[in-house]
Structures are given as C-alpha cells and as structure tokens.
Amino acid sequence: MREDREPDGYAGYTELDGNHVEFEDEEEAPRRPGARRAVLVAVGGVFAALLAVGGYGAYTIMNAVSNGTSSSGTGGGQGSDTATKAPQEPPTAQQAESVAKDFLAAWGRGDVAAASALTDRPETARAALTAFHENVPARSLALTGTGPAAGAAATGPAATGAASGPTLGFRVKAEFEGATGAWEYDSALSVVRAEDGRAVVHWAPTVIHPQLGPGRTIAVKALPDPVSKPADRNGKPLDGFPSLSAVLPQIAPADGATVVTGRAVVVSGGSGKESEQLFVLTPPSAPQVKLTLDADLQQVAEDAVKQQSAGGKPASLVAIQPSTGRILAMAYSPSGFNRAVAGGQPPGSTMKVITSAALLEAGVTPDSAAPCKDTTYSPRPWHNDDRGDFPGYTLTDDFTHSCNTGFIDKGLEKLQPGTLTKVAREQFGLGLEWHIGIPSRDATIPLPGTKDDAAAEYIGQGRIQVNSLLMASVAATVQSGTFRQPVLREDAKRVTAPGQLPADVARDLRAMMAKTATEGTARAPMSGLSGQIGAKTGTVEAGGQATNSWFIAYRGDLAVAAEVEGGGHGNSAAGVAAAQVLTAGGKG
C-alpha cells in the first residue's frame, strides 16, 4: 500500500491494488473551503473521474460500483446519512448473448481458464470443466448458441448480490476417436450481473450436461464385456429352452475371436441414483457362436421329454445328424444336471447293437442259429422279459425280439474277454475322450472280471455307464457306417476312432435294426414312419424298482437316443419320445 500526495483540488485518497480506490476519512483530509472534489474510482484498471460535493456523494458512488458494505461520511452543507447499496440491474439480452458466446467459444477450444473466468464461480467452474475435458476426451467439441431457452434455468442459486438475467440454450456436439457417430445434446446457461457489474455465466454443473446434478460425475467408461448369446445353426435364438438354460452360459467365443470392449459416456453418482448411459462411443461386440442345434427340433425334443418325465421321472434325449455328427437337439429333465450328455447308466439291450457287431466280426452271421432259452446260466441265472423257449431263433431273431439268453450264450461262446470293449472303442468311439463343446461324460465299458460280468455287458447291464448322447452316436454310426464324434459347435476338436466299422457288418446291423423297427420290439413307436428306419429297444432292471426305458433309432439322416428312468419297457416311454423327434425331423 502506498500513500500519495494529494493533488491540488482533490480530497485525500489511498490506492489499494489498482482496482479500487479507498477514500480517506474527511477528518484526516479536510476539504478546502469552496473547492469542488474530484473522486478517482478505478474499476478493472480503468480509472474514471467522478465529481461530487461532500463525502456522501462519493461513498454512494463507490458502493454502487463495488457493491461493497455501506459506510458513513459528512459533507459540507449536506449533513450525515447511512449509505445504501444500489440495486443491480439484470444483464441485457445483448450482454447475455455476448458473454455466453465468449464462454462457449473458450470452452469449445479447451481454454478452461478463460471460460471459467467468465462465470460467477471461477474456481468451481475451472475444476468442473477441467474434469470434463480429462474424463470425456473428445477429439473436437463444438458449442453453438440456440437462443433463449424458454422455461429453462440453470440449477443452483446465483452468487450473493448477483442479479439474474436471461437463460440461453446451446447445442453441444462432441466427436471421439473411433466412435461411430457424434454425441449431440442440448443444455442451457443463465447469465447474471456480478457484484462488480459484469455480466457473467452463472455456474452450475448442469451447464456441462442437464443430467449432471449435485454429487454426480461424467466420464467415458468401458462397458461390460459382451455376452454373446449362442444361436442355432440357422441363427435362431435358443433362449427359453429349459434344457439349454445351463448349457448356453458354458459356450465361450471361438478361439481367436475378437471381442470388442465398448465405451460410453456415463453419468454416475448422486444419492439414490443409478448410473445412466448417455452416449455409446463404440458398442461392445463379440462374434456370435452358432451351435449345431436346430431350434425347431429342440422344441420337439423338449416337449417329448416333458411329456415322458411327468410324475417326476428323470429323462433325456439327444438327436444327431449321422452324416456330420452334429447334435441337433438335446433335452433333459429335471433341469440342472444335464443327464443327456453328462449322465451315466447301463443302456440295457440297446447295447446289443455293439455286441452284434462283435459277433458278426467273430464269424457269426445274421442267420446263424442262436436259440433263445427261457433261462441260461453264466453261472448266475438269466432270463428274458417274455418267458419261454425259442430254440429256432437266429441272431437276427434274438436281436429283433431282444432275447437276452441268446446273446449271453453266443457271446460267451464266440467272444474273448475285452472284445466288446475293443469294438465299442475302436469302431463306435465309446471310451474315447470326446470334446463336444461343453463338458460331457465319456463311456465306461470296463473289462469283465468274470463270466457273470461279461454276460451282463453283452446285454447292456452291469458296470457299463453311458448316456443318451453316446447311444445316439451308436445309432448314427450304424446308419452312416462311420463313427463321427458328435459336436455341439463346429469348432470343437473331434476325436477319430482308431478303427472302422466293416461295411458288411454295418449293412447287417442296418438290416437287423430295420426288422426290429417294423416287426420287432420297436414296431409300436416306429409305426407310420417311412423311409430308411431302424431301431433297438432297451429295458434295464433297476434293483427291484421300475425298469428304465431306453430306445435308439434313426430315420434317414437323423439318429435319436432317449431314456426314461422308471419308464418301463423300451418301446413305451423312451420309444414314444424318440419317435416324436423322428417324425418331426427325420426324412426317408
């Protein structure tokens, strides 16, 4: 602070900071009799000369300019009074448009200091605008005035002493690197008269964006990684199928597939408010995985299993395309555990397909004698569902009518221990490690330790563990003559069988399965189906409880296996379910 010598004709004054001039007390600087006083007032560094008579006039003018506190003084012949604050006039429309234009221009070019200086809360505005530029890094930012904003007002009270003025709208257009389009939105600002007389923008967070209320932040954020919903082979959605609710989440994107993490402008925070996505810069994306399933056939399989599992009976069904190994349908009940591909249980007489293949390769022919006794021994006793002796049966007859004793006798006579396991593995792929696209269980066909063990395995009992997927593949291998590991997705890593089902054996098996479908135990469910058909029933004893129902079949280029726990004979529950799918999807 510096004290200057009072010029001639002026009252005493003290210069404070170049912006204001504070007058000295009248008693300390007595005016000269009869002389007029010139008062220097500095506003924004520009001085103006104001003439007044006496202290009252001088202090009143100063208060009007600086909007400061009132003071008192005495003037010759004027007496004394209390100074009052002169009312602020709101900014004119022209002043509002001018400051709004300057503010938007500074903000748009990234000059945060200049923009914030044009507000009534410079520090607060500077921090907010800096955060916006850092957290919403636009490549370009264009802000264009749109004129008076009818009914709009900036949020928050104006600074103390400020006079509110017009509210103006403006349009924001932000462009980002890599974005698919520009982000555009409308906002508004109010212009007020500040204490120093300037027209300034009234600062509020909503100036940046209307949704940016107290306690809220705005930033570009990464979106959650996309979850690609698998579709069927034709691109149809697979949502809503009960059997697939636990399967679809297990489907991962293909190896090497590019997953794009999305980005969006998000406003978040604030009491009781959820985050709001304002603009998507880059949408998340992941290549859609098409499964081998057929949505239409899946619906038929779901309905068939639901019908046969009424009353709480667990059941499953799998349909395969023999020419490709593609899994076309997969249904099971109850939900949760996928017994269709992960379960394990004996398949009953459907295993006689593989036993027959082993016998045919061992020199037995379809017409070879294979008497069907009422009871046989291994040494434990074995009998058939339909009691009685049929001494004239051939191998084909035993297969067609599902004679247990004929297969046990012929197997113990012609096959070496382990032959069944070898044929199942090398020609039908059972026992190999499959990779279908989701976790699945491989077949268990152990080497028999005794003749009783061997006898049980020849008719699909004992310690054999398979499921509908595995047995549908058996039917598919017979139909096409070649094992093709079933897959749920095309990029699954298939295994190949080390051997090949001999062509003449495949031919004989197709003839035996065809006769079973038209004249044997599978006749009832397969009736009415035309074209190339074949089937085999299976009935599994379950420790004194109701028997389990199994059925494998094919029609044209469609093979099916179904099982119903406690479903009774193979041609009833499981056979009905399989026939429904063959009717809907099979072709002759």
Side-chain angles (χ1 to χ4, degrees):
M1 184 172 65
R2 145 179 121 253
E3 302 236 347
D4 290 331
R5 184 170 171 273
E6 179 180 321
D8 291 342
Y10 288 85
Y13 70 92
T14 301
E15 182 178 345
L16 294 176
D17 56 7
N19 294 323
H20 295 85
V21 176
E22 184 179 286
F23 290 91
E24 297 176 350
D25 191 90
E26 285 280 344
E27 294 179 359
E28 298 179 5
R31 61 186 177 85
R32 295 171 185 171
R36 298 192 323 173
R37 267 194 314 157
V39 181
L40 293 179
V41 179
V43 181
V46 180
F47 287 84
L50 306 176
L51 298 179
V53 179
Y56 174 79
Y59 280 94
T60 302
I61 293 172
M62 172 59 78
N63 277 332
V65 174
S66 66
N67 201 21
T69 57
S70 61
S71 304
S72 61
T74 59
Q78 297 293 329
S80 63
D81 200 352
T82 302
T84 60
K85 184 184 298 184
Q88 292 274 31
E89 291 293 330
T92 65
Q94 183 177 1
Q95 291 172 326
E97 290 178 4
S98 177
V99 72
K101 179 180 179 181
D102 292 344
F103 170 78
L104 295 177
W107 178 15
R109 66 175 179 267
D111 191 346
V112 172
S116 58
L118 295 171
T119 71
D120 58 352
R121 293 185 175 91
E123 295 303 320
T124 302
R126 184 167 187 165
L129 290 173
T130 298
F132 178 77
H133 278 280
E134 291 177 350
N135 298 327
V136 187
R139 180 184 63 193
S140 65
L141 185 65
L143 302 107
T144 308
T146 56
T155 303
T160 304
S164 298
T167 297
L168 304 175
F170 61 94
R171 182 79 173 169
V172 179
K173 181 178 181 180
E175 295 180 320
F176 301 85
E177 293 291 344
T180 55
W183 177 33
E184 298 188 55
Y185 63 92
D186 294 307
S187 191
L189 57 81
S190 291
V191 178
V192 298
R193 178 80 67 188
E195 290 182 334
D196 61 6
R198 294 180 304 139
V200 294
V201 172
H202 167 51
W203 180 255
T206 50
V207 171
I208 292 177
H209 192 280
Q211 300 300 323
L212 196 60
R216 310 207 82 187
T217 60
I218 189 170
V220 172
K221 296 184 178 181
L223 298 175
D225 286 340
V227 178
S228 178
K229 292 185 177 181
D232 83 339
R233 60 178 180 169
N234 298 312
K236 293 183 179 180
L238 294 171
D239 301 280
F241 291 115
S243 298
L244 301 181
S245 60
V247 172
L248 299 184
Q250 301 178 54
I251 304 300
D255 292 340
T258 301
V259 177
V260 177
T261 299
R263 296 182 303 143
V265 180
V266 178
V267 62
S268 56
S271 178
K273 293 187 177 181
E274 297 182 354
S275 296
E276 183 178 351
Q277 187 172 291
L278 301 179
F279 176 73
V280 176
L281 279 69
T282 51
S285 65
Q288 185 181 59
V289 178
K290 284 188 178 182
L291 302 183
T292 60
L293 297 172
D294 183 284
D296 295 335
L297 198 62
Q298 178 68 28
Q299 185 62 64
V300 176
E302 295 277 0
D303 294 341
V305 167
K306 181 179 180 180
Q307 178 182 339
Q308 297 306 322
S309 62
K313 296 186 182 74
S316 69
L317 182 149
V318 172
I320 294 174
Q321 187 176 45
S323 62
T324 63
R326 294 169 181 159
I327 300 173
L328 301 180
M330 175 178 58
Y332 58 92
S333 179
S335 61
F337 175 64
N338 188 349
R339 63 186 288 123
V341 302
Q345 56 181 304
S349 291
T350 57
M351 189 69 183
K352 291 174 183 172
V353 172
I354 300 177
T355 305
S356 295
L359 289 172
L360 291 169
E361 292 176 41
V364 180
T365 67
D367 296 329
S368 294
C372 181
K373 302 175 184 176
D374 180 75
T375 304
T376 193
Y377 301 88
S378 65
R380 63 152 284 186
W382 299 91
H383 58 80
N384 304 305
D385 286 341
D386 296 328
R387 305 300 296 267
D389 289 306
F390 302 90
Y393 271 15
T394 62
L395 179 64
T396 297
D397 294 328
D398 287 342
F399 188 95
T400 302
H401 300 288
S402 202
C403 176
N404 291 334
T405 58
F407 270 90
I408 290 172
D409 288 342
K410 192 59 71 173
L412 292 175
E413 175 189 349
K414 294 292 185 178
L415 303 180
Q416 297 296 317
T419 301
L420 188 67
T421 302
K422 181 180 180 181
V423 170
R425 182 179 187 277
E426 295 185 358
Q427 298 175 14
F428 290 87
L430 300 187
L432 300 177
E433 186 177 347
W434 292 10
H435 302 278
I436 69 170
I438 60 172
S440 63
R441 176 172 179 164
D442 300 315
T444 300
I445 305 175
L447 295 174
T450 66
K451 285 188 176 182
D452 284 345
D453 291 340
E457 290 187 355
Y458 294 151
I459 60 173
Q461 307 273 359
R463 295 181 295 161
I464 293 178
Q465 296 285 292
V466 292
N467 50 50
S468 292
L469 170 67
L470 296 164
M471 295 311 293
S473 178
V474 170
T477 299
V478 173
Q479 191 276 344
S480 68
T482 301
F483 166 71
R484 295 179 177 87
Q485 186 219 288
V487 293
L488 192 59
R489 51 189 299 169
E490 297 291 356
D491 58 354
K493 297 179 180 179
R494 300 172 184 251
V495 296
T496 56
Q500 173 71 39
L501 184 65
D504 58 338
V505 173
R507 181 196 63 226
D508 290 341
L509 289 175
R510 285 192 290 271
M512 294 163 68
M513 290 185 69
K515 188 172 183 180
T516 304
T518 56
E519 301 178 25
T521 56
R523 182 179 66 244
M526 297 293 287
S527 62
L529 296 178
S530 59
Q532 182 198 27
I533 60 173
K536 184 68 190 80
T537 58
T539 305
V540 184
E541 297 178 2
Q545 301 176 359
T547 54
N548 298 334
S549 176
W550 274 88
F551 196 90
I552 66 174
Y554 57 80
R555 182 188 183 205
D557 199 20
L558 179 64
V560 178
E563 56 85 20
V564 180
E565 191 172 319
H569 196 278
N571 63 8
S572 54
V576 172
Q580 287 179 260
V581 174
L582 291 174
T583 300
K587 296 180 179 179

